[in-house]
Amino acid sequence: MEKLAALVICWLAMVMPMGQCSIEGPEEVYNWFHKLPYAEEKVSKLHFYFHDTLSGKNPTAVRVAQASGSAKSPTFFGVVFVIDDPLTEGPEATSKELGRAQGLYGSDGKEEVSLLMAMDFVFTSGKYNGSSLTVLGRNPVFHPLREMPIIGGTGVFRLARGIATVKTRSLNTTTGDAIAEYHVVVIHY
Ligand SMILES: *[C@@H]1O[C@H](CO)[C@@H](O)[C@H](O)[C@H]1NC(C)=O
Ligand SMILES: *[C@@H]1O[C@H](CO)[C@@H](O)[C@H](O)[C@H]1NC(C)=O
């Protein structure tokens, strides 16, 4: 019964103009591009919290590299982290998980702490389950408000472009653990 329901949903998604049910093959992707001239752009807004945990037994952000001078640098210049950070609906760690932020960030400011963020928001629940957005941009983490470009996506977010605005909600200066609030607005099809 469940299988049948899944098939019907899948079929519905296939006959919808720009819909998808799961990862599509090259033919389907090509056809999707072919239909683009008739597709309508839409604007979607997303809101979630990003939990960057460096401390404890199960960190979601790990330091993988640094330069010989990084330890003495007041801006941690040259340090690189790989992350798999939960994205949640609310600010609490126990709040519903919407996806993960997977990628890396590196400290690339000598005068001021700033991170180059290169990451994907991989959605694993809700209406964007199975789709992703890619962020590539500068994050001067001590500014009250930052803006980073969304440069693409997959699934329902194919060819997405947009902006993420970011505020730090909490930062433990001893451990480096942080929670940031993300507002994302994207144009997609
Ligand atoms: C998300 O999609 C995957 C793959 O289609 C599915 O297995 C999973 O149950 C979905 N998760 C939720 C929370 O809907
Ligand atoms: C920061 O983390 C340390 C170690 O877990 C903890 O002892 C301390 O209370 C935390 N500080 C704040 C402000 O939460």
Side-chain angles (χ1 to χ4, degrees):
M1 200 57 213
E2 257 167 48
K3 259 197 178 149
L4 184 63
L7 274 175
V8 170
I9 291 166
C10 206
W11 175 80
L12 276 175
M14 280 191 313
V15 297
M16 306 275 210
M18 301 307 275
Q20 290 143 32
C21 55
S22 58
I23 297 293
E24 294 181 332
E27 281 293 316
E28 286 92 347
V29 175
Y30 176 78
N31 288 335
W32 184 90
F33 272 81
H34 222 70
K35 282 190 274 176
L36 263 185
Y38 313 103
E40 239 180 88
E41 274 186 350
K42 49 179 175 261
V43 177
S44 294
K45 286 184 183 172
L46 294 83
H47 176 241
F48 48 78
Y49 294 83
F50 169 101
H51 300 257
D52 198 46
T53 306
L54 282 60
S55 69
K57 283 206 190 81
N58 190 22
T60 59
V62 292
R63 187 186 292 222
V64 293
Q66 64 179 27
S68 54
S70 294
K72 284 199 213 105
S73 161
T75 59
F76 317 105
F77 185 63
V79 172
V80 177
F81 279 81
V82 169
I83 61 168
D84 184 353
D85 285 343
L87 304 173
T88 61
E89 209 166 67
E92 314 79 25
T94 52
S95 172
K96 184 184 172 194
E97 188 169 308
L98 301 175
R100 313 286 295 193
Q102 297 179 332
L104 40 91
Y105 55 75
S107 187
D108 64 356
K110 279 176 78 75
E111 300 295 323
E112 167 183 51
V113 179
S114 82
L115 305 176
L116 171 69
M117 315 276 298
M119 62 181 172
D120 293 311
F121 294 143
V122 182
F123 298 102
T124 52
S125 74
K127 63 173 169 171
Y128 303 125
N129 185 10
S131 298
S132 70
L133 285 170
T134 302
V135 177
L136 180 69
R138 178 173 184 263
N139 186 3
V141 289
F142 291 114
H143 290 198
L145 193 58
R146 290 90 71 188
E147 178 176 315
M148 287 189 282
I150 305 285
I151 60 164
T154 65
V156 299
F157 293 127
R158 277 178 192 159
L159 298 181
R161 56 207 193 281
I163 289 292
T165 41
V166 189
K167 273 184 195 164
T168 301
R169 283 303 173 192
S170 72
L171 170 66
N172 184 319
T173 50
T174 310
T175 59
D177 293 353
I179 300 171
E181 182 177 10
Y182 275 73
H183 283 95
V184 172
V185 55
V186 284
I187 295 174
H188 63 114
Y189 298 96

